[in-house]
Amino acid sequence: MSSISGLVEDEISSFFESSPPLKNKEEVVAKLNQFIELNSSRQGEKRRIVCVTSGGTTVPLEQRCVRYIDNFSSGNRGAASTENFVKAGYAVIFLYRRGTCQPYCRSLPDDPFLECFEFPDAKNIRVRESHSEAVKMAVMDQQAAVGEGRLLKLPFSTIYEYLQMLREMATALKDVGPCSMFYLAAAVSDFYVPWNSMTEHKIQSGSGPLDIRLAQVPKMISILRSNWAPKAFCVSFKLETDSKILIEKATKALQKYKVHAVVANELSTRKEEVVVVSSSGNVVVRRDSDKPESIVEDNLIRLIVDRHSTYIKENHT
Ligand code: 9Z3
């Protein structure tokens, strides 16, 4: 378990104290507790629970937000990983950026509602033949996962919402111990405008060039590991655009935050391969290029689940 300095702890406390409170906190906490309770007490069988974070956080520039800073993340990694975790028997809390890619929808067109359906006559609606298999699989798999209590989806938009929800989630999962996992694939902003130094109203365009000072977002992984959920298995991600520094940065993150593995990926090749960096060495994970349907998450989640199994055995109380 890692320990964090008083300075980092102060930065984290002041981040939360100055954040606008989560609007639907009671509802989020109630859903979380109900989901965890359901999956921890299934006739003696204790299901593993993973929190998958997905998509990018926004950084608002005004309190009554008109403009914000965003990032590239499509949520594809998180959605595909969620499907694989469900397949591996996990219950998944999918903490995702509103509007990004959803589990089971990856093979549907961008606007499925408008593209997948047709009207043979004024009274009837049917799925177009060309999309019928993809629609059937998406609806059946999603309804089965949610219906069996194996998938809980919670949306966020801003960096403030994301970090508050992550804290709620970690606190709620604390008692699940080694059977819980954090799989932090969301692209989290490194910089933000602190709420109390943010203008309330829309920034006016007439006042010439705009200077904005961005503060550093405190890294929450350290407090997640040391205080919020110290027994959970924790996988973080490192993204770089320069492949020359990727592994070095991932190795530093592994040591600094004392996570169990860091998934290192480079922006342009992220769908082809990742490197899992851990204390037992670095493993390159690729999609099976001879199978067109294959995605890197199929092999990645197999490896992560294996590592989690070993961790549970070693930490069995
Ligand atoms: C990742 O590295 C994810 O794999 C991607 C997935 C965001 C690249 P897509 O959503 O892409 O499928 O389009 N996520 C973590 C990125 C990140 O913000 N990492 C931080 C860092 O690199 C550490 S928490 O400093």
Side-chain angles (χ1 to χ4, degrees), residues 55 72-77 184-188 190 219 221 237-239 265 270:
F72 73 97
S73 172
S74 65
N76 210 77
R77 173 89 76 226
L184 304 170
V188 182
D190 284 324
K219 290 278 183 201
I221 303 184
F237 280 69
K238 174 55 75 184
L239 171 76
N265 53 175
R270 70 189 193 279

